[in-house]
PDB file of all heavy atoms in Angstrom:
ATOM      1  N   CYS R  17      95.373  98.314  81.707  1.00 96.00           N
ATOM      2  CA  CYS R  17      94.864  99.613  81.914  1.00 96.00           C
ATOM      3  C   CYS R  17      95.887 100.424  82.523  1.00 96.00           C
ATOM      4  O   CYS R  17      96.117 101.665  82.077  1.00 96.00           O
ATOM      5  CB  CYS R  17      93.749  99.436  82.884  1.00 96.00           C
ATOM      6  SG  CYS R  17      92.878 100.989  83.245  1.00 96.00           S
ATOM      7  N   LEU R  18      96.533 100.206  83.596  1.00 96.00           N
ATOM      8  CA  LEU R  18      97.481 101.140  84.214  1.00 96.00           C
ATOM      9  C   LEU R  18      98.748 101.351  83.416  1.00 96.00           C
ATOM     10  O   LEU R  18      99.161 102.506  83.199  1.00 96.00           O
ATOM     11  CB  LEU R  18      97.833 100.488  85.696  1.00 96.00           C
ATOM     12  CG  LEU R  18      98.928 101.452  86.367  1.00 96.00           C
ATOM     13  CD1 LEU R  18      98.241 102.639  86.702  1.00 96.00           C
ATOM     14  CD2 LEU R  18      99.164 100.699  87.755  1.00 96.00           C
ATOM     15  N   PRO R  19      99.362 100.234  82.798  1.00 95.00           N
ATOM     16  CA  PRO R  19     100.493 100.664  81.973  1.00 95.00           C
ATOM     17  C   PRO R  19     100.236 101.377  80.856  1.00 95.00           C
ATOM     18  O   PRO R  19     101.023 102.424  80.466  1.00 95.00           O
ATOM     19  CB  PRO R  19     101.098  99.120  81.538  1.00 95.00           C
ATOM     20  CG  PRO R  19     100.531  98.241  82.422  1.00 95.00           C
ATOM     21  CD  PRO R  19      99.195  98.803  83.025  1.00 95.00           C
ATOM     22  N   LEU R  20      99.164 101.195  80.062  1.00 95.00           N
ATOM     23  CA  LEU R  20      98.839 102.102  78.981  1.00 95.00           C
ATOM     24  C   LEU R  20      98.441 103.457  79.338  1.00 95.00           C
ATOM     25  O   LEU R  20      98.743 104.440  78.678  1.00 95.00           O
ATOM     26  CB  LEU R  20      97.709 101.473  78.095  1.00 95.00           C
ATOM     27  CG  LEU R  20      97.970 100.215  77.443  1.00 95.00           C
ATOM     28  CD1 LEU R  20      96.837  99.565  76.706  1.00 95.00           C
ATOM     29  CD2 LEU R  20      99.119 100.374  76.418  1.00 95.00           C
ATOM     30  N   PHE R  21      97.799 103.620  80.489  1.00 96.00           N
ATOM     31  CA  PHE R  21      97.458 104.969  81.007  1.00 96.00           C
ATOM     32  C   PHE R  21      98.685 105.677  81.265  1.00 96.00           C
ATOM     33  O   PHE R  21      98.882 106.837  80.851  1.00 96.00           O
ATOM     34  CB  PHE R  21      96.516 104.790  82.216  1.00 96.00           C
ATOM     35  CG  PHE R  21      96.015 106.192  82.724  1.00 96.00           C
ATOM     36  CD1 PHE R  21      95.164 106.976  81.921  1.00 96.00           C
ATOM     37  CD2 PHE R  21      96.605 106.676  83.943  1.00 96.00           C
ATOM     38  CE1 PHE R  21      94.769 108.080  82.410  1.00 96.00           C
ATOM     39  CE2 PHE R  21      96.339 107.914  84.398  1.00 96.00           C
ATOM     40  CZ  PHE R  21      95.275 108.627  83.703  1.00 96.00           C
ATOM     41  N   LEU R  22      99.686 105.022  81.948  1.00 96.00           N
ATOM     42  CA  LEU R  22     100.880 105.514  82.304  1.00 96.00           C
ATOM     43  C   LEU R  22     101.757 106.084  81.069  1.00 96.00           C
ATOM     44  O   LEU R  22     102.233 107.173  81.001  1.00 96.00           O
ATOM     45  CB  LEU R  22     101.722 104.645  83.095  1.00 96.00           C
ATOM     46  CG  LEU R  22     103.139 105.206  83.515  1.00 96.00           C
ATOM     47  CD1 LEU R  22     103.049 106.330  84.668  1.00 96.00           C
ATOM     48  CD2 LEU R  22     103.960 103.965  84.082  1.00 96.00           C
ATOM     49  N   THR R  23     101.750 105.198  80.006  1.00 95.00           N
ATOM     50  CA  THR R  23     102.355 105.475  78.848  1.00 95.00           C
ATOM     51  C   THR R  23     101.825 106.737  78.159  1.00 95.00           C
ATOM     52  O   THR R  23     102.443 107.620  77.670  1.00 95.00           O
ATOM     53  CB  THR R  23     102.370 104.304  77.885  1.00 95.00           C
ATOM     54  OG1 THR R  23     103.073 103.198  78.561  1.00 95.00           O
ATOM     55  CG2 THR R  23     103.085 104.453  76.650  1.00 95.00           C
ATOM     56  N   VAL R  24     100.469 106.679  78.060  1.00 96.00           N
ATOM     57  CA  VAL R  24      99.695 107.799  77.360  1.00 96.00           C
ATOM     58  C   VAL R  24      99.965 109.219  78.015  1.00 96.00           C
ATOM     59  O   VAL R  24     100.278 110.200  77.489  1.00 96.00           O
ATOM     60  CB  VAL R  24      98.282 107.427  77.064  1.00 96.00           C
ATOM     61  CG1 VAL R  24      97.456 108.775  76.663  1.00 96.00           C
ATOM     62  CG2 VAL R  24      98.193 106.356  76.163  1.00 96.00           C
ATOM     63  N   LEU R  25      99.795 108.990  79.395  1.00 97.00           N
ATOM     64  CA  LEU R  25      99.854 110.331  80.079  1.00 97.00           C
ATOM     65  C   LEU R  25     101.204 110.914  80.131  1.00 97.00           C
ATOM     66  O   LEU R  25     101.405 112.137  79.900  1.00 97.00           O
ATOM     67  CB  LEU R  25      99.492 109.920  81.640  1.00 97.00           C
ATOM     68  CG  LEU R  25      99.231 111.180  82.484  1.00 97.00           C
ATOM     69  CD1 LEU R  25      98.179 112.031  82.043  1.00 97.00           C
ATOM     70  CD2 LEU R  25      99.028 110.646  83.939  1.00 97.00           C
ATOM     71  N   THR R  26     102.345 110.043  80.310  1.00 97.00           N
ATOM     72  CA  THR R  26     103.659 110.524  80.314  1.00 97.00           C
ATOM     73  C   THR R  26     104.105 111.101  78.891  1.00 97.00           C
ATOM     74  O   THR R  26     104.854 111.938  78.774  1.00 97.00           O
ATOM     75  CB  THR R  26     104.738 109.602  80.771  1.00 97.00           C
ATOM     76  OG1 THR R  26     104.583 108.415  80.164  1.00 97.00           O
ATOM     77  CG2 THR R  26     104.488 109.334  82.244  1.00 97.00           C
ATOM     78  N   GLY R  27     103.631 110.389  77.862  1.00 95.00           N
ATOM     79  CA  GLY R  27     103.921 110.729  76.555  1.00 95.00           C
ATOM     80  C   GLY R  27     103.404 112.103  76.141  1.00 95.00           C
ATOM     81  O   GLY R  27     103.953 112.993  75.570  1.00 95.00           O
ATOM     82  N   MET R  28     102.121 112.429  76.583  1.00 96.00           N
ATOM     83  CA  MET R  28     101.440 113.624  76.364  1.00 96.00           C
ATOM     84  C   MET R  28     102.174 114.678  77.205  1.00 96.00           C
ATOM     85  O   MET R  28     102.477 115.884  76.743  1.00 96.00           O
ATOM     86  CB  MET R  28     100.000 113.634  76.831  1.00 96.00           C
ATOM     87  CG  MET R  28      99.173 112.826  75.747  1.00 96.00           C
ATOM     88  SD  MET R  28      97.400 112.514  76.199  1.00 96.00           S
ATOM     89  CE  MET R  28      96.994 113.885  77.201  1.00 96.00           C
ATOM     90  N   ALA R  29     102.305 114.339  78.520  1.00 96.00           N
ATOM     91  CA  ALA R  29     103.018 115.474  79.426  1.00 96.00           C
ATOM     92  C   ALA R  29     104.479 115.841  78.935  1.00 96.00           C
ATOM     93  O   ALA R  29     104.822 116.946  78.970  1.00 96.00           O
ATOM     94  CB  ALA R  29     103.027 114.816  80.792  1.00 96.00           C
ATOM     95  N   TYR R  30     105.101 114.867  78.354  1.00 96.00           N
ATOM     96  CA  TYR R  30     106.536 115.145  77.807  1.00 96.00           C
ATOM     97  C   TYR R  30     106.418 116.085  76.725  1.00 96.00           C
ATOM     98  O   TYR R  30     107.095 117.195  76.667  1.00 96.00           O
ATOM     99  CB  TYR R  30     107.100 113.866  77.194  1.00 96.00           C
ATOM    100  CG  TYR R  30     108.383 114.089  76.420  1.00 96.00           C
ATOM    101  CD1 TYR R  30     109.569 114.431  76.970  1.00 96.00           C
ATOM    102  CD2 TYR R  30     108.342 114.200  75.006  1.00 96.00           C
ATOM    103  CE1 TYR R  30     110.732 114.600  76.246  1.00 96.00           C
ATOM    104  CE2 TYR R  30     109.359 114.466  74.262  1.00 96.00           C
ATOM    105  CZ  TYR R  30     110.693 114.782  74.935  1.00 96.00           C
ATOM    106  OH  TYR R  30     111.770 114.950  74.072  1.00 96.00           O
ATOM    107  N   THR R  31     105.504 115.878  75.789  1.00 95.00           N
ATOM    108  CA  THR R  31     105.295 116.881  74.595  1.00 95.00           C
ATOM    109  C   THR R  31     104.949 118.313  75.135  1.00 95.00           C
ATOM    110  O   THR R  31     105.565 119.311  74.837  1.00 95.00           O
ATOM    111  CB  THR R  31     104.300 116.366  73.678  1.00 95.00           C
ATOM    112  OG1 THR R  31     104.701 115.140  73.160  1.00 95.00           O
ATOM    113  CG2 THR R  31     104.113 117.356  72.473  1.00 95.00           C
ATOM    114  N   ILE R  32     104.019 118.401  76.140  1.00 95.00           N
ATOM    115  CA  ILE R  32     103.555 119.702  76.644  1.00 95.00           C
ATOM    116  C   ILE R  32     104.690 120.353  77.361  1.00 95.00           C
ATOM    117  O   ILE R  32     104.949 121.464  77.219  1.00 95.00           O
ATOM    118  CB  ILE R  32     102.364 119.425  77.652  1.00 95.00           C
ATOM    119  CG1 ILE R  32     101.122 118.948  76.713  1.00 95.00           C
ATOM    120  CG2 ILE R  32     101.987 120.668  78.377  1.00 95.00           C
ATOM    121  CD1 ILE R  32     100.021 118.510  77.563  1.00 95.00           C
ATOM    122  N   LEU R  33     105.394 119.663  78.257  1.00 94.00           N
ATOM    123  CA  LEU R  33     106.582 120.317  79.012  1.00 94.00           C
ATOM    124  C   LEU R  33     107.520 120.675  78.230  1.00 94.00           C
ATOM    125  O   LEU R  33     108.206 121.755  78.407  1.00 94.00           O
ATOM    126  CB  LEU R  33     106.919 119.314  80.103  1.00 94.00           C
ATOM    127  CG  LEU R  33     106.043 119.094  81.370  1.00 94.00           C
ATOM    128  CD1 LEU R  33     106.380 118.167  82.299  1.00 94.00           C
ATOM    129  CD2 LEU R  33     105.821 120.429  82.065  1.00 94.00           C
ATOM    130  N   ASN R  34     108.004 119.867  77.204  1.00 95.00           N
ATOM    131  CA  ASN R  34     109.216 120.065  76.415  1.00 95.00           C
ATOM    132  C   ASN R  34     109.014 121.134  75.268  1.00 95.00           C
ATOM    133  O   ASN R  34     109.679 121.959  75.170  1.00 95.00           O
ATOM    134  CB  ASN R  34     109.676 118.701  75.706  1.00 95.00           C
ATOM    135  CG  ASN R  34     111.128 118.850  75.232  1.00 95.00           C
ATOM    136  OD1 ASN R  34     111.954 119.523  75.771  1.00 95.00           O
ATOM    137  ND2 ASN R  34     111.362 118.234  74.117  1.00 95.00           N
ATOM    138  N   GLU R  35     107.907 120.956  74.537  1.00 95.00           N
ATOM    139  CA  GLU R  35     107.581 121.810  73.472  1.00 95.00           C
ATOM    140  C   GLU R  35     106.945 123.132  73.936  1.00 95.00           C
ATOM    141  O   GLU R  35     107.217 124.215  73.209  1.00 95.00           O
ATOM    142  CB  GLU R  35     106.757 121.063  72.416  1.00 95.00           C
ATOM    143  CG  GLU R  35     107.435 119.921  71.766  1.00 95.00           C
ATOM    144  CD  GLU R  35     108.681 120.135  71.122  1.00 95.00           C
ATOM    145  OE1 GLU R  35     108.799 121.204  70.480  1.00 95.00           O
ATOM    146  OE2 GLU R  35     109.700 119.413  71.025  1.00 95.00           O
ATOM    147  N   TRP R  36     105.985 123.051  74.713  1.00 96.00           N
ATOM    148  CA  TRP R  36     105.181 124.211  75.084  1.00 96.00           C
ATOM    149  C   TRP R  36     105.756 125.051  76.172  1.00 96.00           C
ATOM    150  O   TRP R  36     105.914 126.286  76.138  1.00 96.00           O
ATOM    151  CB  TRP R  36     103.703 123.894  75.393  1.00 96.00           C
ATOM    152  CG  TRP R  36     102.931 123.218  74.331  1.00 96.00           C
ATOM    153  CD1 TRP R  36     103.337 122.980  72.962  1.00 96.00           C
ATOM    154  CD2 TRP R  36     101.627 122.803  74.389  1.00 96.00           C
ATOM    155  NE1 TRP R  36     102.333 122.376  72.375  1.00 96.00           N
ATOM    156  CE2 TRP R  36     101.307 122.339  73.186  1.00 96.00           C
ATOM    157  CE3 TRP R  36     100.661 122.824  75.406  1.00 96.00           C
ATOM    158  CZ2 TRP R  36     100.062 121.688  72.931  1.00 96.00           C
ATOM    159  CZ3 TRP R  36      99.457 122.290  75.142  1.00 96.00           C
ATOM    160  CH2 TRP R  36      99.183 121.718  73.897  1.00 96.00           C
ATOM    161  N   PHE R  37     106.283 124.379  77.271  1.00 96.00           N
ATOM    162  CA  PHE R  37     106.628 125.065  78.363  1.00 96.00           C
ATOM    163  C   PHE R  37     108.179 125.122  78.648  1.00 96.00           C
ATOM    164  O   PHE R  37     108.736 125.688  79.511  1.00 96.00           O
ATOM    165  CB  PHE R  37     106.212 124.564  79.626  1.00 96.00           C
ATOM    166  CG  PHE R  37     104.695 124.734  79.716  1.00 96.00           C
ATOM    167  CD1 PHE R  37     103.769 123.588  79.806  1.00 96.00           C
ATOM    168  CD2 PHE R  37     103.993 125.963  79.829  1.00 96.00           C
ATOM    169  CE1 PHE R  37     102.454 123.695  79.770  1.00 96.00           C
ATOM    170  CE2 PHE R  37     102.637 126.150  79.827  1.00 96.00           C
ATOM    171  CZ  PHE R  37     101.864 125.045  79.842  1.00 96.00           C
ATOM    172  N   HIS R  38     108.975 124.510  77.475  1.00 95.00           N
ATOM    173  CA  HIS R  38     110.344 124.494  77.393  1.00 95.00           C
ATOM    174  C   HIS R  38     111.069 124.090  78.944  1.00 95.00           C
ATOM    175  O   HIS R  38     111.907 124.823  79.453  1.00 95.00           O
ATOM    176  CB  HIS R  38     110.905 125.730  77.190  1.00 95.00           C
ATOM    177  CG  HIS R  38     110.253 126.279  75.790  1.00 95.00           C
ATOM    178  ND1 HIS R  38     110.565 125.654  74.559  1.00 95.00           N
ATOM    179  CD2 HIS R  38     109.406 127.374  75.402  1.00 95.00           C
ATOM    180  CE1 HIS R  38     109.894 126.238  73.641  1.00 95.00           C
ATOM    181  NE2 HIS R  38     109.095 127.170  74.157  1.00 95.00           N
ATOM    182  N   GLN R  39     110.614 122.921  79.410  1.00 95.00           N
ATOM    183  CA  GLN R  39     111.123 122.364  80.685  1.00 95.00           C
ATOM    184  C   GLN R  39     111.892 121.012  80.228  1.00 95.00           C
ATOM    185  O   GLN R  39     111.384 120.020  80.698  1.00 95.00           O
ATOM    186  CB  GLN R  39     109.980 122.168  81.610  1.00 95.00           C
ATOM    187  CG  GLN R  39     109.283 123.392  82.121  1.00 95.00           C
ATOM    188  CD  GLN R  39     110.183 124.218  82.973  1.00 95.00           C
ATOM    189  OE1 GLN R  39     110.864 123.773  83.758  1.00 95.00           O
ATOM    190  NE2 GLN R  39     109.959 125.664  82.718  1.00 95.00           N
ATOM    191  N   PRO R  40     112.917 121.142  79.696  1.00 94.00           N
ATOM    192  CA  PRO R  40     113.637 119.832  79.275  1.00 94.00           C
ATOM    193  C   PRO R  40     114.112 118.902  80.424  1.00 94.00           C
ATOM    194  O   PRO R  40     114.092 117.700  80.291  1.00 94.00           O
ATOM    195  CB  PRO R  40     114.961 120.314  78.541  1.00 94.00           C
ATOM    196  CG  PRO R  40     115.097 121.752  78.963  1.00 94.00           C
ATOM    197  CD  PRO R  40     113.943 122.278  79.392  1.00 94.00           C
ATOM    198  N   GLU R  41     114.351 119.426  81.526  1.00 95.00           N
ATOM    199  CA  GLU R  41     114.842 118.524  82.690  1.00 95.00           C
ATOM    200  C   GLU R  41     113.633 117.798  83.145  1.00 95.00           C
ATOM    201  O   GLU R  41     113.767 116.524  83.382  1.00 95.00           O
ATOM    202  CB  GLU R  41     115.354 119.460  83.911  1.00 95.00           C
ATOM    203  CG  GLU R  41     116.534 120.155  83.595  1.00 95.00           C
ATOM    204  CD  GLU R  41     116.267 121.494  82.909  1.00 95.00           C
ATOM    205  OE1 GLU R  41     115.155 122.007  83.070  1.00 95.00           O
ATOM    206  OE2 GLU R  41     117.201 122.134  82.390  1.00 95.00           O
ATOM    207  N   LEU R  42     112.517 118.321  83.236  1.00 96.00           N
ATOM    208  CA  LEU R  42     111.458 117.590  83.742  1.00 96.00           C
ATOM    209  C   LEU R  42     110.784 116.641  82.604  1.00 96.00           C
ATOM    210  O   LEU R  42     110.386 115.558  82.918  1.00 96.00           O
ATOM    211  CB  LEU R  42     110.163 118.617  84.155  1.00 96.00           C
ATOM    212  CG  LEU R  42     109.088 117.970  84.770  1.00 96.00           C
ATOM    213  CD1 LEU R  42     109.455 117.330  86.015  1.00 96.00           C
ATOM    214  CD2 LEU R  42     108.165 119.113  85.193  1.00 96.00           C
ATOM    215  N   ALA R  43     110.989 117.068  81.389  1.00 94.00           N
ATOM    216  CA  ALA R  43     110.678 116.254  80.250  1.00 94.00           C
ATOM    217  C   ALA R  43     111.398 114.944  80.056  1.00 94.00           C
ATOM    218  O   ALA R  43     110.916 113.915  79.830  1.00 94.00           O
ATOM    219  CB  ALA R  43     110.724 117.044  78.988  1.00 94.00           C
ATOM    220  N   VAL R  44     112.794 115.144  80.516  1.00 94.00           N
ATOM    221  CA  VAL R  44     113.585 113.982  80.445  1.00 94.00           C
ATOM    222  C   VAL R  44     113.176 113.059  81.540  1.00 94.00           C
ATOM    223  O   VAL R  44     113.222 111.801  81.398  1.00 94.00           O
ATOM    224  CB  VAL R  44     115.237 114.432  80.663  1.00 94.00           C
ATOM    225  CG1 VAL R  44     116.029 113.229  80.986  1.00 94.00           C
ATOM    226  CG2 VAL R  44     115.565 115.017  79.327  1.00 94.00           C
TER     227      VAL R  44
END
Side-chain angles (χ1 to χ4, degrees):
C17 182
L18 184 62
L20 290 178
F21 183 72
L22 179 70
T23 300
V24 169
L25 189 65
T26 55
M28 289 172 32
Y30 169 80
T31 301
I32 291 168
L33 287 172
N34 194 39
E35 299 295 328
W36 295 1
F37 296 117
H38 306 290
Q39 299 290 323
E41 297 85 15
L42 192 52
V44 168

